């Protein structure tokens, strides 16, 4: 299986989206990426119109099993902060305020708190639930994965 994650900002037409890691260029510098998102939102707001800062992280996990593709999705909804905050997390966490923690960025909350609400965790838990429901029908190697996934859900 494989996964991919992107940040989608409504006011930017869903950007950075598939370009999340390279939004400010090929260096994959997340400080530059965050600066670019903040600058683009500030430019839109400078026009005087109301700009939504709604955003989400979206993860899609793809599992290919017996030649069939199965996809599982998870999102973490929130808003883009006006400035960076926090020391934890990675990527865009210092500018992303999850709905579950108003006033705190994903870099301000603990790793445990983030794992409970994370987009990737939701996608992996969905895959785990799907695997658990088919455990007896899976090849032996995948049954081991399903047992591990069951622990993830408990």
């Amino acid at each position: 299986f494989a996964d991919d994650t992107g940040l989608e900002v409504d006011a930017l037409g869903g950007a950075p989206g598939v370009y999340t890691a390279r939004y400010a260029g090929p260096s994959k510098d997340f400080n530059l990426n965050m600066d670019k998102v903040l600058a683009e939102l500030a430019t839109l707001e400078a026009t005087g119109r109301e700009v939504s800062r709604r955003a989400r992280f979206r993860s899609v996990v793809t599992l290919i099993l017996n030649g069939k593709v199965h996809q599982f999705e998870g999102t973490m909804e929130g808003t883009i902060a006006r400035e960076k905050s926090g020391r934890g997390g990675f990527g865009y966490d210092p500018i992303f305020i999850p709905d579950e923690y108003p006033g705190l960025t994903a870099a301000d909350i603990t790793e445990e708190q983030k794992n409970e609400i994370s987009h990737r965790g939701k996608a992996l838990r969905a895959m785990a639930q799907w695997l658990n429901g088919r455990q007896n029908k899976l090849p032996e190697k995948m049954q081991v994965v399903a047992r591990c996934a069951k622990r993830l859900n408990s």
Side-chain angles (χ1 to χ4, degrees):
F1 72 93
D3 80 300
D4 197 14
T5 295
L7 174 66
E8 303 169 350
V9 180
D10 291 352
L12 302 180
V18 297
Y19 301 105
T20 293
R22 295 173 185 80
Y23 195 51
S27 68
K28 298 182 185 179
D29 182 319
F30 277 101
N31 276 314
L32 294 176
N33 290 340
M34 287 185 285
D35 290 344
K36 183 174 180 179
V37 167
L38 293 174
E40 288 180 341
L41 289 172
T43 298
L44 290 172
E45 289 169 338
T47 64
R49 67 182 181 112
E50 187 155 334
V51 176
S52 170
R53 286 183 165 259
R54 291 296 302 163
R56 73 211 41 79
F57 282 108
R58 183 182 310 275
S59 286
V60 177
V61 174
T62 300
L63 171 69
I64 300 176
L65 186 61
N66 297 328
K68 293 183 182 173
V69 176
H70 307 277
Q71 292 188 320
F72 308 91
E73 186 175 304
T75 61
M76 181 168 61
E77 298 287 330
T79 57
I80 300 299
R82 297 197 174 275
E83 59 186 30
K84 298 173 192 173
S85 175
R87 297 176 188 246
F90 61 94
Y92 292 85
D93 286 356
I95 64 167
F96 185 83
I97 302 170
D99 286 348
E100 293 85 352
Y101 294 95
L104 298 174
T105 68
D108 290 321
I109 63 177
T110 67
E111 187 176 339
E112 291 78 20
Q113 289 170 313
K114 186 178 168 191
N115 287 341
E116 289 176 13
I117 62 170
S118 86
H119 46 293
R120 187 172 283 117
K122 289 174 183 175
L124 289 171
R125 285 189 288 276
M127 181 181 77
Q129 184 177 7
W130 184 86
L131 285 169
N132 287 333
R134 288 154 183 76
Q135 190 167 354
N136 294 332
K137 300 173 187 168
L138 298 172
E140 190 162 333
K141 287 182 182 179
M142 286 306 298
Q143 288 181 25
V144 172
V145 171
R147 286 193 293 275
C148 291
K150 188 173 187 176
R151 289 188 197 121
L152 181 73
N153 274 338
S154 54

